[in-house]
Amino acid sequence: MSAIESVLVENRVFPPSEATVKAARIGGMPAYQALCDEAEKDFQGFWSKRAKENLVWAKPFTQVLDESNKPFYRWFADGELNASANCLDRHIGTPTENKTAIIFEADGGEVTKVTFKELLARVSQFANGLKAHGIKKGDRVLIYMPMTVEGVIAMQACARIGATHSVVFGGFSAKAVQERIADAGAVAVITANYQMRGGKELPLKAIVDEGIAMGGCESVKNVFVYERSKTACNMVAGRDKTFSQLEAGQSTECAPEIVNAEHPLFILYTSGSTGKPKGVQHSTGGYLLWAKMTMDWTFDLKDSDVFWCTADIGWITGHTYVAYGPLAAGATQIIFEGVPTYPDAGRFWQMIERHKCTIFYTAPTAIRSLIKASETNEKVHPKNWDLTSLRIMGSVGEPINPEAWMWYYKHVGGERCPIVDTFWQTETGGHMITPLPGATPLVP
């Protein structure tokens, strides 16, 4: 019987180590309780303080919570800001500007690094290209991209000009693309000719074309295509442009469009497994505040950390803990293209060793598949790599079973890394229930 099939009765409790408690942002249960007491005593004052500490406001808010139209609560509603400025511009003129923002590892293993300063220039150039094509504040833009730096740039560029993005996971069908374009009234689509997964080229642009051809997509005036592969794809004259054409002659400086705190930052659709996909809309201020705070609290983020969330940008996890949270927090993060089992099932462990990853955040499904792989092939077991850089590990997307938790804790974290098992959903935009690594005793 394999480790995952066996039924583990696990009732041990793993308290955080003294060293973890001492070094943590929230160290020990008394520190956590003090935060709870502060929020309980004056929750509006609590959130006002955090919003002022964690976000850069172009126009400071005077009202924290507007409850005049329950249940449509409005947070910081008279305040103004820009999400992209809070992820990029805020770091310019500080030591963070030359810090690596993204370590990108492609499907074939090639590594590219981008600093915060370089990322701002690229986002600004892309944003200027969008503006030159008439895309403006309030427009909706559909993004159907592979896991690359360009995917994050597309999201940040939309936020920069006040356009509301709607990202569709690159594994979804033409019908899913068509439904989301039609429902959102998207004026443009940002995609790639192909995506690379497991050494194979998989079409994206062809699926966009198929979706648009299904009808109801008359709102789309432009399709912008990232040439991820050298293989040509169909380009519709007058409508389609490559990223190179979009960015040609555009300045690398673009003033961020200041928006209201309640301005829609993005729409992300539920999968549609129980009926028509439902668009979940997140506003700029409240969403970004929680993304930044959960980076600090759940992952106990330090300036020296190398953070890696393995989620695709097509999911809410990839929005909050790839495209927005790490950048707002000034963290160096890893982005990977492809699958955890290519070229073999040791890829995650090899990447942790190579990039000195300190915080690793992945899904139980991935962990269970890697347990299975290591049972049948000892060469891909985590013990073959140096994972001592890790200090915090996370779990997301579904409940983690005790067997997988214990294997993860022992073989990946070396029995020294707290596991933050996070519960949340598309609708909440960030963690709702989670251990805090320096405070919560852990139960598998």
Side-chain angles (χ1 to χ4, degrees):
M1 192 182 282
S2 80
I4 0 184
E5 289 165 339
S6 64
V7 179
L8 180 69
V9 179
E10 181 55 71
N11 52 20
R12 281 181 292 174
V13 176
F14 298 85
S17 68
E18 275 183 44
T20 301
V21 173
K22 198 173 174 184
R25 283 173 180 264
I26 302 171
M29 286 306 280
Y32 169 63
Q33 193 56 52
L35 272 179
C36 294
D37 294 344
E38 184 192 343
E40 190 71 28
K41 188 177 168 187
D42 173 16
F43 79 92
Q44 291 209 32
F46 180 93
W47 289 112
S48 175
K49 182 184 177 191
R50 267 75 201 175
K52 287 168 183 169
E53 286 173 351
N54 286 277
L55 298 181
V56 179
W57 296 87
K59 180 190 166 199
F61 56 89
T62 61
Q63 184 182 21
V64 181
L65 174 64
D66 174 3
E67 338 180 52
S68 61
N69 187 25
K70 296 177 182 178
F72 301 101
Y73 299 96
R74 289 158 55 81
W75 286 90
F76 321 117
D78 62 345
E80 295 178 356
L81 74 169
N82 179 277
S84 176
N86 268 275
C87 292
L88 301 170
D89 306 54
R90 73 186 301 168
H91 305 303
I92 302 305
T94 77
T96 307
E97 72 175 10
N98 294 313
K99 182 179 177 181
T100 299
I102 295 171
I103 301 167
F104 172 64
E105 183 166 315
D107 188 63
E110 307 85 355
V111 176
T112 311
K113 296 183 180 181
V114 184
T115 67
F116 279 90
K117 196 173 183 178
E118 290 165 343
L119 189 59
L120 172 60
R122 292 186 63 183
V123 167
S124 297
Q125 188 173 41
F126 197 92
N128 283 327
L130 295 178
K131 288 203 293 187
H133 284 79
I135 297 162
K136 60 190 185 304
K137 177 179 170 180
D139 284 341
R140 274 82 61 209
V141 176
L142 188 105
I143 298 175
Y144 188 60
M145 285 284 284
M147 272 303 285
T148 55
V149 177
E150 287 72 17
V152 173
I153 287 170
M155 294 168 78
Q156 284 282 335
C158 287
R160 194 161 193 85
I161 64 172
T164 301
H165 62 68
S166 184
V167 184
V168 181
F169 171 57
F172 280 179
S173 68
K175 181 65 178 163
V177 170
Q178 181 264 338
E179 286 175 335
R180 287 157 176 77
I181 289 172
D183 190 72
V187 301
V189 177
I190 301 172
T191 188
N193 56 356
Y194 293 89
Q195 62 177 330
M196 303 300 298
R197 282 176 77 83
K200 298 189 181 83
E201 285 184 2
L202 303 174
L204 287 179
K205 173 60 164 59
I207 293 170
V208 169
D209 288 346
E210 187 186 337
I212 291 174
M214 288 176 177
C217 301
E218 292 74 22
S219 57
V220 174
K221 302 291 181 275
N222 292 285
V223 176
F224 304 114
V225 185
Y226 168 49
E227 294 179 289
R228 173 63 189 92
S229 151
K230 289 179 180 169
T231 307
C233 69
N234 177 57
M235 297 289 280
V236 177
R239 186 196 71 183
D240 300 352
K241 305 216 170 36
T242 65
F243 274 26
S244 303
Q245 290 167 333
L246 174 73
E247 293 172 339
Q250 296 297 338
S251 167
T252 53
E253 290 182 13
C254 173
E257 181 75 32
I258 302 305
V259 299
N260 181 271
E262 281 288 324
H263 179 78
L265 177 61
F266 64 85
I267 303 166
L268 186 58
Y269 286 83
T270 57
S271 62
S273 52
T274 55
K276 192 182 172 205
K278 290 165 279 294
V280 176
Q281 178 180 294
H282 278 288
S283 62
T284 303
Y287 169 79
L288 199 63
L289 176 61
W290 196 227
K292 165 69 168 63
M293 285 176 60
T294 48
M295 282 297 301
D296 291 345
W297 285 0
T298 308
F299 300 113
D300 188 43
L301 193 72
K302 307 275 195 287
D303 196 48
S304 57
D305 278 316
V306 177
F307 176 81
W308 184 15
C309 168
T310 66
D312 192 282
I313 54 169
W315 309 117
I316 188 64
T317 308
H319 279 56
T320 310
Y321 301 111
V322 177
Y324 288 106
L327 296 176
T332 295
Q333 69 166 319
I334 298 165
I335 293 179
F336 96 109
E337 177 187 46
V339 291
T341 51
Y342 178 82
D344 61 45
R347 184 174 182 196
F348 275 2
W349 323 132
Q350 183 188 55
M351 284 181 65
I352 289 169
E353 178 185 83
R354 182 186 303 157
H355 304 304
K356 300 287 183 282
C357 174
T358 61
I359 303 170
F360 180 63
Y361 191 37
T362 196
T365 296
I367 295 165
R368 284 191 290 267
S369 73
L370 297 175
I371 292 172
K372 257 188 174 160
S374 68
E375 284 175 346
T376 54
N377 179 5
E378 206 173 72
K379 287 181 181 173
V380 297
H381 193 282
K383 68 183 178 186
N384 297 303
W385 287 272
D386 178 4
L387 308 181
T388 53
S389 60
L390 287 172
R391 66 180 195 89
I392 290 170
M393 305 190 305
S395 172
V396 62
E398 62 192 293
I400 183 168
N401 53 311
E403 297 84 3
W405 196 101
M406 284 304 305
W407 186 90
Y408 192 31
Y409 183 71
K410 182 179 178 183
H411 296 291
V412 182
E415 299 186 348
R416 68 179 193 285
C417 299
I419 297 174
V420 289
D421 179 13
T422 59
F423 165 84
W424 56 299
Q425 55 198 134
T426 305
E427 290 82 347
T428 70
H431 307 145
M432 298 301 288
I433 304 172
T434 176
L436 298 177
T440 317
L442 302 171
V443 181

